[in-house]
Amino acid sequence: MRFTGDLSTSGITLHNDRLRVHILPEEGGRITSFFDMRSRIEFLLQPSEPYGQPGPLDPWDCFENSACAGIDDCLPSVGACGPETPGGPVPDHGDFWRLRWNVVSTSESDSVSMAATGYSRPLLFEKQLILHDSSLEIRYRIRNMEDTPVPFLYALHPLFAIDPGDRIALPPEVSTVQVESSRLGRVGVPRSVIDWPKPGGAGSSLDLSRTEAISASTAEMLYTGRLRTGCCGLYRAQSGQGIAVRFDAEQLPYLGLWLCYGGWPEDAALPRQYAVAFEPTVAPQGTLAAALKHGQAPVIGAYASFEFSIVLDRIGIDPVDFDTFAAQCCENACF
């Protein structure tokens, strides 16, 4: 395995005989590709226009004006927060997806470490990406750089490529989810609780665990309750293979689900998004302001840190059925 590319322009590529992972430190530390070398499947959503944002974005720009692809991190909020928020405003999807991350180190042990400093809160965000045989491990640390405690909201933000009829696997403990948003109220109003995967009951024709076509023009943001097991996965039905996301449910006890089938963004001039996102998070809230309101925002003490890990695991050297895939997603899910 080796590192390739010019860090200033083309990012970093990690690869072995199973996986190729590409990272752009200069564009928010974004992971732009998670590519299976044998099946030739690209698991991450790709942008409608090539990557190549020249320098940092406007610090208060909306996420929909970015590449809207790959994997980035939302910190210290997901949605934008106004100036009335304790600690002041936070931009849409947080600070870090729009910053140039510094490459701290690369090593012969097949890893790269990066860091960036936020501006809406005094937070230093560090991550180490380690490519194993068929998985990518990401180790995170969020450090409070001042002597005042800092409340925060964190969520992973991975946008996965899909086709109609792909399947979503959640831990067996998930039987209901809470609605954060639903375009045109298709599955319910905000904060309502619906059955998973069939919000209309067992006899419903709508099964949220099966991806729809982009022509559906729908978009739902949902949250699980507090989880005991941190795992989920996307099964690519045409190939019989998939990707699992495993996370520390002690540190990230909730999972957000973004199911977008052509229903976002609202601006008709922008390309329609067609993707699924699994978003391990510290709280089942869309904004830091909401997490504070409901008493669910964790706090990093003065000069303290918050650490956690997330693993993206490639499942299925050979094609498997969905039930086998779903069972494998939650194997070795404990950190």
Side-chain angles (χ1 to χ4, degrees):
M1 190 181 301
R2 62 183 182 276
F3 298 94
T4 62
D6 180 343
L7 298 185
S8 65
T9 58
S10 59
I12 297 170
T13 299
L14 311 177
H15 63 90
N16 56 26
D17 62 351
R18 292 288 304 281
L19 291 174
R20 185 181 69 215
V21 175
H22 191 246
I23 307 112
L24 284 180
E26 65 273 22
E27 290 193 39
R30 188 187 308 270
I31 301 170
T32 63
S33 178
F34 189 93
F35 184 78
D36 187 274
M37 300 292 286
R38 299 183 185 180
S39 68
R40 315 305 292 177
I41 296 173
E42 172 57 69
F43 283 95
L44 300 186
L45 180 67
Q46 298 301 298
S48 57
E49 298 290 337
Y51 288 107
Q53 174 66 33
L57 290 167
D58 184 298
W60 299 97
D61 206 355
C62 293
F63 183 77
E64 64 193 61
N65 294 326
S66 73
C68 294
I71 302 175
D72 50 66
D73 300 277
C74 296
L75 179 74
S77 182
V78 181
C81 299
E84 72 284 357
T85 306
V90 184
D92 183 33
H93 284 62
D95 300 0
F96 292 90
W97 63 269
R98 70 193 77 220
L99 297 177
R100 183 184 295 274
W101 285 58
N102 296 316
V103 176
V104 178
S105 66
T106 60
S107 77
E108 294 300 326
S109 61
D110 312 321
S111 69
V112 57
S113 296
M114 300 181 293
T117 301
Y119 51 89
S120 72
R121 300 294 187 275
L123 298 176
L124 174 65
F125 197 12
E126 302 168 298
K127 58 184 174 183
Q128 181 185 26
L129 297 92
I130 306 168
L131 189 63
H132 301 290
D133 180 45
S134 60
S135 66
L136 177 69
E137 179 186 4
I138 313 174
R139 299 175 182 174
Y140 291 94
R141 180 166 64 174
I142 304 170
R143 299 171 60 188
N144 178 2
M145 304 306 290
E146 294 190 356
D147 60 1
T148 302
V150 176
F152 72 100
L153 179 64
Y154 168 81
L156 184 71
H157 195 240
L159 292 164
F160 293 111
I162 53 173
D163 291 306
D166 288 346
R167 304 284 299 276
I168 294 167
L170 298 185
E173 67 192 88
V174 178
S175 60
T176 62
V177 290
Q178 180 174 289
V179 177
E180 174 73 13
S181 65
S182 176
R183 189 168 189 264
L184 304 179
R186 180 175 80 134
V187 302
V189 298
R191 304 199 66 77
S192 61
V193 176
I194 61 174
D195 291 337
W196 174 269
K198 294 191 173 185
S204 173
S205 61
L206 177 58
D207 183 345
L208 294 176
S209 70
R210 295 178 182 270
T211 60
E212 302 175 51
I214 192 171
S215 57
S217 297
T218 62
E220 267 86 41
M221 185 67 206
L222 312 169
Y223 286 102
T224 68
R226 180 177 285 272
L227 297 172
R228 296 185 300 273
T229 305
C231 62
C232 55
L234 176 67
Y235 177 74
R236 304 305 305 274
Q238 292 183 22
S239 65
Q241 299 170 319
I243 185 170
V245 179
R246 301 191 180 106
F247 51 96
D248 184 347
E250 289 292 325
Q251 299 290 76
L252 305 173
Y254 301 93
L255 178 66
L257 299 171
W258 171 241
L259 313 177
C260 188
Y261 311 132
W264 183 88
E266 294 295 333
D267 187 342
L270 295 174
R272 303 291 89 193
Q273 188 178 87
Y274 187 54
V276 161
F278 301 125
E279 304 184 15
T281 181
V282 295
Q285 304 291 341
T287 67
L288 174 60
L292 287 165
K293 177 182 177 181
H294 293 282
Q296 293 181 301
V299 177
I300 304 179
Y303 301 113
S305 62
F306 179 82
E307 299 183 25
F308 57 95
S309 295
I310 296 173
V311 173
L312 306 179
D313 194 2
R314 174 75 176 80
I315 293 179
I317 297 177
D318 298 314
V320 297
D321 60 30
F322 174 72
D323 290 339
T324 300
F325 169 81
Q328 291 179 358
C329 278
C330 288
E331 291 179 356
N332 305 313
C334 297
F335 282 81

